[in-house]
Amino acid sequence: MARKKIIVIVAALACLALTHPCVAQQTSGSMLEGFEFVDREYTELFYMLSLYSGISISADDTVSGRATFRCTGQDFEQAFDLFLRSQRLYVIKSDSVWTVTRLLFSQPQKDSSLWQMDASDMTPSRIVEKIAVFFGCEISYDTLPDTPVSIHAEGNSARQFVASLVRQLGNGYSLSEDSGFLRIVREVQVTPSQRTAVNTSSRTCSVTGSASSDSFCVDAQNVTVSELLEKLFALTGFQFVFSSVAQNQIQHIVCKDVSFAYLMNLLQEEYAVQDVVVNDVHYIVGAGQWKQYVLSFISAEKCVSLLAARFGKLDTVLLPGTKSFLCKASDAIHTQIESFLGLCDIPLSLYTVQLQYITVKDLLQHLPPAISAPAITQTTQDTQFFFSGSDAEYELLCSLLETLDTPVKRVRYDVLIIQYQNTDDFSWEQSLSANRLKLGDKNDVSALLGSVLSLNLNVVSAFGLDFAASLQSALNKNYASVFADTTLYGVSGNTISFRNTNTYRYRDNNIDPATGKPVYTGVTREIVSGLTLEITGWVSGDGMITSNITASVSRQGADLSKKTGNPPPTSEKMVTTQVRAKSGEPIILSGLVQNETSSAEQGVPLLSQIPGLGMLFKSLSSSKEHTEMVIYLVPHWEVDSTEEDASDEKQWTVSRVITELIPEVCDEK
């Protein structure tokens, strides 16, 4: 393994040496001779060093740029630390990951609450952001300078570190605290050319002139640059966009009969603002080397984000409605930006993709991380979209669609619901008759299955011939009745509902406290009774069907609202279960039992009321009804015609054999 690792490292270093002036030399005895990096990106350097050392070395968002470094030595860690010191960088080391950064929080004494912060060549705004993240507090600030600074500070709170940074920024900034929130406030700085003997308490802003003659008069005191320019552009009729630099304060400026160009040059020299004109729109930005970049294929927003990842933070201004932007940088950076745009601003291939089973909306909801949502544009059809990307990205999308664009599994439930009842009767009649049994009377024990064959054959055949015979006998003797015989279809993962109910409406009454009689309130209510069946089934990868089944049976009693003002009584039985079975394997749900007792009395008026003798003139009857609802389910996985043809053929053959066998058994009996 060690030999293989050395071969891989040597091959990688050889490739880097051929393509880049970046070399890490190594002797035949695996002893490090030194490093030589010539104007290379940090990311490339850390990648090569990771290959050599076997340690994952990466940089955080504070590290960007290029480096040149040469050293000799025999210890990798010592040489790496020397490289970091030469580049003013720091490293956070763990067992297998080293993270390079420009800002490091360390704790010299582990049992102390004192922290040290070291930051090198970072802008003040980035330092403030890192302090806020480390201490988990909120810090706001006015416009801070873009000049990188280095700082070493100690403390145990965010306020102490921010105060150290403010002291380094100079007298133009101060730190304020309100209810635990920190804010860096920028104070107005006045240049010597702006200092005049006028009264600073007065505030004026007067701009007069004509754009046709290109002559303007300005008298402004204690106003911002944006306030002055707004009045100037109102006279010229030019369109304008201001950046944050336009908030610089003007102490006092007086100009008479000057041109527009002269006035803009004066503001650029004295107040560090610059007028960049693009498509007749004046962009007031900070002074510097600005250049407009016009893109052909990618958007300006995406390009700016790519530049930030490649070159770090740049001053950019997006031009609305166009594929272009302004960027401030040095001549060397502008040259690198032009080369970089030549690589990223390229046309992308456009593909039309037709989905078969899912919609574009479903695809976007379950889009894999390897595919970006902006690359997909939906057409007027729900199952068609345009994909913009490289050939490799399109091939990756097609391979992923083989897993995503698949038909939804369907589930079928054959349902047979039988209601079994048993009634115990007691009767006292006025007369009694008895018939002698004739010789030859006997119990009829033959089972006729003709009516059973008219039921759901999949359910009957799944439970066998004994079930069919006993069911036929119960139907003939009125011990059982068919409550429902149906087939339910659904999609795997969705709920199937079956209801066989009655809706009873009654008037809501209240008892009048004065008369004791029910009074109609004007409200009509409903009571729903009967059978409710809900099934949620899904097919797992091994073909098993898991079903969540909820069944309830409710019954409504006699309406007593007219007499008592109370709603009709109701009773309900419910059973909930989860079953996992194969396709075609039967399921039985029982336990939905209802018991009801009823009594009736009839008699001859007056005579039936005589004590003792009244029993001869009346009849009594009572019954106890025991009812049980049994649900027979047979789940099936509805596969496509192209899937499992052999399994479908086998299942059809078994059903045909049972169908042919049942009449033969009936004929024998």
Side-chain angles (χ1 to χ4, degrees):
M1 293 297 295
R3 183 179 179 183
K4 183 178 180 181
K5 179 179 180 182
I6 293 175
I7 294 175
V8 173
I9 294 174
V10 171
L13 296 179
C15 294
L16 290 173
L18 293 174
T19 57
H20 305 290
C22 174
V23 180
Q25 299 178 356
Q26 184 179 0
T27 65
S28 60
S30 299
M31 296 299 294
L32 180 67
E33 291 184 356
F35 294 102
E36 181 178 0
F37 310 132
V38 181
D39 192 28
R40 303 314 308 164
E41 288 288 337
Y42 282 121
T43 54
E44 297 178 6
L45 304 183
F46 297 147
Y47 175 73
M48 191 203 71
L49 295 176
S50 299
L51 292 177
Y52 175 82
S53 63
I55 302 173
S56 177
I57 304 175
S58 61
D60 64 5
D61 57 347
T62 63
V63 180
S64 63
R66 312 169 75 86
T68 299
F69 177 71
R70 297 180 179 88
C71 78
T72 59
Q74 297 182 351
D75 182 77
F76 170 80
E77 189 167 353
Q78 180 181 2
F80 184 75
D81 291 338
L82 182 61
F83 165 73
L84 295 180
R85 286 196 296 272
S86 67
Q87 302 298 318
R88 299 169 60 84
L89 299 174
Y90 308 97
V91 63
I92 303 173
K93 297 181 180 179
S94 63
D95 295 337
S96 59
V97 178
W98 292 2
T99 303
V100 181
T101 181
R102 289 193 180 276
L103 187 144
L104 177 66
F105 283 96
S106 59
Q107 202 169 16
Q109 299 179 1
K110 299 300 182 181
D111 56 348
S112 174
S113 61
L114 190 66
W115 289 89
Q116 287 185 356
M117 182 186 71
D118 295 278
S120 299
D121 302 329
M122 290 182 61
T123 59
S125 59
R126 296 300 303 276
I127 296 177
V128 173
E129 293 173 3
K130 292 298 181 181
I131 294 174
V133 172
F134 183 80
F135 286 95
C137 61
E138 181 177 346
I139 305 174
S140 60
Y141 51 89
D142 295 339
T143 304
L144 300 178
D146 292 334
T147 304
V149 298
S150 300
I151 184 173
H152 171 80
E154 294 183 353
N156 53 14
S157 65
R159 191 184 192 286
Q160 294 177 342
F161 290 105
V162 176
S164 300
L165 176 63
V166 171
R167 286 193 296 270
Q168 186 163 344
L169 294 178
N171 297 329
Y173 294 87
S174 62
L175 177 62
S176 64
E177 184 175 3
D178 183 17
S179 301
F181 295 95
L182 302 177
R183 179 175 178 80
I184 302 177
V185 181
R186 179 183 179 185
E187 300 176 358
V188 178
Q189 299 294 320
V190 182
T191 61
S193 62
Q194 293 173 305
R195 296 190 180 96
T196 61
V198 297
N199 183 11
T200 58
S201 61
S202 60
R203 188 176 187 277
T204 59
C205 184
S206 174
V207 180
T208 59
S210 173
S212 58
S213 60
D214 195 20
S215 177
F216 301 92
C217 297
V218 177
D219 184 2
Q221 183 177 358
N222 295 330
V223 296
T224 61
V225 175
S226 61
E227 292 179 284
L228 173 62
L229 292 179
E230 284 180 5
K231 293 192 175 184
L232 178 62
F233 284 125
L235 295 176
T236 59
F238 296 154
Q239 302 181 61
F240 60 90
V241 176
F242 291 160
S243 66
S244 59
V245 73
Q247 300 304 317
N248 293 344
Q249 192 77 13
I250 297 177
Q251 188 72 18
H252 195 190
I253 181 173
V254 177
C255 298
K256 294 184 178 180
D257 299 330
V258 296
S259 64
F260 179 83
Y262 176 85
L263 186 57
M264 297 306 299
N265 291 333
L266 179 62
L267 294 176
Q268 179 177 349
E269 294 176 359
E270 296 295 331
Y271 302 101
V273 297
Q274 185 174 349
D275 180 23
V276 180
V277 183
V278 179
N279 297 332
D280 296 332
V281 179
H282 293 255
Y283 293 87
I284 306 302
V285 295
Q289 300 181 21
W290 290 85
K291 187 174 181 180
Q292 180 186 4
Y293 291 95
V294 181
L295 305 172
S296 300
F297 303 102
I298 64 174
S299 63
E301 293 82 358
K302 184 177 182 180
C303 183
V304 168
S305 63
L306 294 175
L307 291 177
R310 174 65 176 81
F311 300 98
K313 184 178 180 182
L314 296 173
D315 289 335
T316 57
V317 177
L318 298 177
L319 304 182
T322 63
K323 283 190 174 182
S324 58
F325 63 96
L326 300 175
C327 180
K328 184 179 76 171
S330 62
D331 292 337
I333 297 298
H334 278 305
T335 302
Q336 297 180 26
I337 291 176
E338 292 177 355
S339 301
F340 181 75
L341 292 182
L343 299 176
C344 63
D345 188 25
I346 56 177
L348 297 177
S349 302
L350 187 64
Y351 302 91
T352 302
V353 181
Q354 180 69 45
L355 300 174
Q356 297 182 6
Y357 304 104
I358 63 175
T359 63
V360 179
K361 183 179 179 180
D362 297 333
L363 176 63
L364 293 175
Q365 289 179 351
H366 306 87
L367 193 64
I371 305 299
S372 60
I376 296 177
T377 303
Q378 187 172 355
T379 63
T380 55
Q381 302 181 17
D382 294 338
T383 59
Q384 189 181 69
F385 65 91
F386 296 115
F387 177 76
S388 59
S390 62
D391 296 339
E393 291 175 335
Y394 176 70
E395 293 178 0
L396 176 61
L397 175 64
C398 293
S399 63
L400 294 175
L401 287 180
E402 293 179 359
T403 303
L404 297 176
D405 190 19
T406 56
V408 179
K409 296 179 180 179
R410 296 172 296 168
V411 183
R412 184 185 88 241
Y413 289 92
D414 296 324
V415 182
L416 181 60
I417 304 176
I418 304 297
Q419 178 175 309
Y420 296 93
Q421 62 256 3
N422 183 13
T423 304
D424 295 333
D425 294 330
F426 170 78
S427 177
W428 171 267
E429 300 290 345
Q430 300 178 20
S431 62
L432 178 63
S433 63
N435 296 324
R436 180 180 178 181
L437 289 175
K438 297 180 181 179
L439 294 177
D441 287 349
K442 60 181 179 178
N443 295 327
D444 187 2
V445 295
S446 63
L448 301 178
L449 303 182
S451 60
V452 171
L453 294 179
S454 64
L455 299 178
N456 197 321
L457 185 59
N458 289 331
V459 177
V460 176
S461 61
F463 285 93
L465 296 179
D466 291 339
F467 168 76
S470 61
L471 177 59
Q472 182 63 55
S473 177
L475 292 175
N476 291 339
K477 296 180 180 181
N478 293 326
Y479 293 159
S481 60
V482 178
F483 195 85
D485 178 18
T486 184
T487 301
L488 305 178
Y489 293 88
V491 177
S492 177
N494 291 351
T495 301
I496 307 173
S497 296
F498 174 77
R499 296 176 180 271
N500 189 349
T501 59
N502 296 321
T503 302
Y504 174 79
R505 296 178 177 85
Y506 67 95
R507 298 192 302 175
D508 190 12
N509 297 331
N510 289 333
I511 300 299
D512 189 353
T515 61
K517 297 181 179 180
V519 179
Y520 178 45
T521 62
V523 178
T524 302
R525 301 188 182 275
E526 293 183 352
I527 294 179
V528 179
S529 59
L531 173 68
T532 300
L533 179 64
E534 290 186 353
I535 308 174
T536 303
W538 64 92
V539 182
S540 57
D542 56 356
M544 299 290 287
I545 301 176
T546 303
S547 304
N548 283 334
I549 306 172
T550 301
S552 64
V553 176
S554 58
R555 174 175 292 185
Q556 172 220 325
D559 186 6
L560 304 176
S561 60
K562 297 180 180 180
K563 298 180 180 180
T564 63
N566 297 322
T570 57
S571 61
E572 183 178 12
K573 300 290 183 179
M574 178 180 293
V575 60
T576 301
T577 184
Q578 184 181 73
V579 183
R580 192 167 185 262
K582 298 179 180 179
S583 179
E585 185 175 357
I587 301 171
I588 302 177
L589 265 70
S590 60
L592 300 173
V593 180
Q594 296 278 355
N595 293 316
E596 184 175 358
T597 302
S598 61
S599 61
E601 178 180 340
Q602 295 180 353
V604 179
L606 298 179
L607 295 179
S608 62
Q609 304 298 325
I610 300 174
L613 296 177
M615 295 295 295
L616 301 175
F617 301 96
K618 63 181 177 181
S619 62
L620 301 175
S621 64
S622 63
S623 64
K624 294 181 179 180
E625 183 178 353
H626 177 84
T627 304
E628 181 179 7
M629 197 79 68
V630 181
I631 302 174
Y632 302 94
L633 292 173
V634 182
H636 297 277
W637 173 19
E638 291 287 308
V639 298
D640 293 338
S641 58
T642 58
E643 300 178 5
E644 300 187 5
D645 293 335
S647 177
D648 289 347
E649 179 66 24
K650 180 179 179 181
Q651 183 178 0
W652 179 82
T653 304
V654 172
S655 300
R656 185 182 62 182
V657 170
I658 294 177
T659 305
E660 296 175 352
L661 181 61
I662 290 177
E664 294 178 1
V665 174
C666 296
D667 294 340
E668 292 178 0
K669 291 189 177 182

